[in-house]
């Protein structure tokens, strides 16, 4: 007991947020360690090798973004960024620097725990090094059969193009986690050019239409405006 617990490093300078997160993660049976500055966070990452990092971007010594860069030089550990900033550019920059997801303050315990589970799940899949998923994905009445490359809503098959299927498949593998436009474009087309985002949006619009989802409706896939898309996970987050 104890040493097989999932280790989470919290890097946050505000004491009350830090202890709020720590208390909630410990209740959920995670092992928690804390750092208050960017430099301390980098040191603790090197000496403790946590399984996940929760990182505040506004730290007293340096911007949290520099911790992401330092850690990514030698480690793929999942990083969830906490940000008081509602600025999309900061979120996109953090994701592009290698953060796995972000949460905007203020946030609730359930949201935090759901993000942690999604990031862990997605990281495990990547570590498995399997490019082609097998089996099935299910959330609510949506079912994706990876072996047959077919998508169903209830009993009805949704006729998707190859590209539309590839987008759905990629989002579902990382369900619960926000994926930036550039990450999706890279996974689906392998390259990006000036018109790529537009191309992705057109495909997404067609997917929604085929699934009977009206614009702005948060069913199956959530549009994170200015950032990317997130597919709902089985826990509804
Ligand atoms: Ca702060």
């Amino acid at each position: 007991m104890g040493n097989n617990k999932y280790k989470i490093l919290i890097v946050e300078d505000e004491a009350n947020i830090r202890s709020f997160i720590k208390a909630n993660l410990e209740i959920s049976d995670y092992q928690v360690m804390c750092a208050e500055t960017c430099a301390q966070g980098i040191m603790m990452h090197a000496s403790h090798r946590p399984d996940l990092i929760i990182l505040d971007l506004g730290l007293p010594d340096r911007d949290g973004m520099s911790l992401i860069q330092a850690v990514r030089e030698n480690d793929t550990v999942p990083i969830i960024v906490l940000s008081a900033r509602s600025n999309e550019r900061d979120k996109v920059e953090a994701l592009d620097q290698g953060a796995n997801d972000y949460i905007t303050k203020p946030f609730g315990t359930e949201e935090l725990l759901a993000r942690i589970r999604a990031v862990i799940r997605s990281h495990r899949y990547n570590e498995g090094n399997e490019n082609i998923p097998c089996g099935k994905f299910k959330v609510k009445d949506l079912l994706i059969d990876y072996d047959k490359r077919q998508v169903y809503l209830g009993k009805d098959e949704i006729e998707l193009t190859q590209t539309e299927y590839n987008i759905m498949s990629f989002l579902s593998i990382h369900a619960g986690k926000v994926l930036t436009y550039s990450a999706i474009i890279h996974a689906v087309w392998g390259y990006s050019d000036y018109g790529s985002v537009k191309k992705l949006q057109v495909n997404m619009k067609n997917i929604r239409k085929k699934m009977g989802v009206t614009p702005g409706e948060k069913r199956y896939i959530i549009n994170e405006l200015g950032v990317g898309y997130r597919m709902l996970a089985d826990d509804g987050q």
Side-chain angles (χ1 to χ4, degrees), residues 12-14 17 56-60 105:
E12 164 66 87
D13 59 321
E14 281 169 70
I17 299 180
D56 178 36
L57 286 182
L59 293 167
K105 292 176 185 175

Side-chain angles (χ1 to χ4, degrees), residues 19-88:
S19 55
F20 165 79
I21 299 174
K22 185 170 191 284
N24 280 292
L25 294 189
E26 282 175 348
I27 290 168
S28 303
D29 219 23
Y30 293 110
Q31 185 190 332
V32 181
M33 55 199 79
C34 297
E36 298 174 26
T37 63
C38 195
Q40 202 184 355
I42 291 170
M43 250 166 49
M44 291 190 71
H45 163 258
S47 51
H48 295 279
R49 287 286 160 167
D51 300 300
L52 187 141
I53 299 174
I54 295 173
L55 171 69
D56 178 36
L57 286 182
L59 293 167
D61 56 340
R62 275 187 276 163
D63 193 292
M65 221 69 92
S66 64
L67 183 144
I68 302 176
Q69 289 161 355
V71 165
R72 280 290 170 263
E73 281 178 13
N74 57 27
D75 196 359
T76 60
V77 57
I79 300 174
I80 298 176
V81 159
L82 300 179
S83 173
R85 316 164 192 195
S86 56
N87 188 341
E88 275 73 36

Side-chain angles (χ1 to χ4, degrees), residues 27-154:
I27 290 168
S28 303
D29 219 23
Y30 293 110
Q31 185 190 332
V32 181
M33 55 199 79
C34 297
E36 298 174 26
T37 63
C38 195
Q40 202 184 355
I42 291 170
M43 250 166 49
M44 291 190 71
H45 163 258
S47 51
H48 295 279
R49 287 286 160 167
D51 300 300
L52 187 141
I53 299 174
I54 295 173
L55 171 69
D56 178 36
L57 286 182
L59 293 167
D61 56 340
R62 275 187 276 163
D63 193 292
M65 221 69 92
S66 64
L67 183 144
I68 302 176
Q69 289 161 355
V71 165
R72 280 290 170 263
E73 281 178 13
N74 57 27
D75 196 359
T76 60
V77 57
I79 300 174
I80 298 176
V81 159
L82 300 179
S83 173
R85 316 164 192 195
S86 56
N87 188 341
E88 275 73 36
R89 270 182 48 198
D90 285 336
K91 295 172 183 172
V92 173
E93 195 191 338
L95 294 170
D96 284 345
Q97 293 288 342
N100 298 68
D101 207 342
Y102 62 81
I103 305 181
T104 307
K105 292 176 185 175
F107 54 86
T109 310
E110 284 314 308
E111 188 186 3
L112 176 69
L113 293 173
R115 289 283 192 282
I116 290 172
R117 286 194 298 270
V119 163
I120 290 171
R121 192 165 49 219
S122 167
H123 185 66
R124 269 201 201 122
Y125 170 78
N126 283 337
E127 280 201 323
N129 246 340
E130 296 161 56
N131 292 315
I132 302 159
C134 53
K136 291 183 173 71
F137 170 85
K138 198 172 180 345
V139 60
K140 298 187 175 135
D141 56 341
L142 171 67
L143 177 83
I144 302 177
D145 185 327
Y146 296 122
D147 300 324
K148 294 182 182 155
R149 292 177 64 85
Q150 284 169 339
V151 176
Y152 298 88
L153 270 189

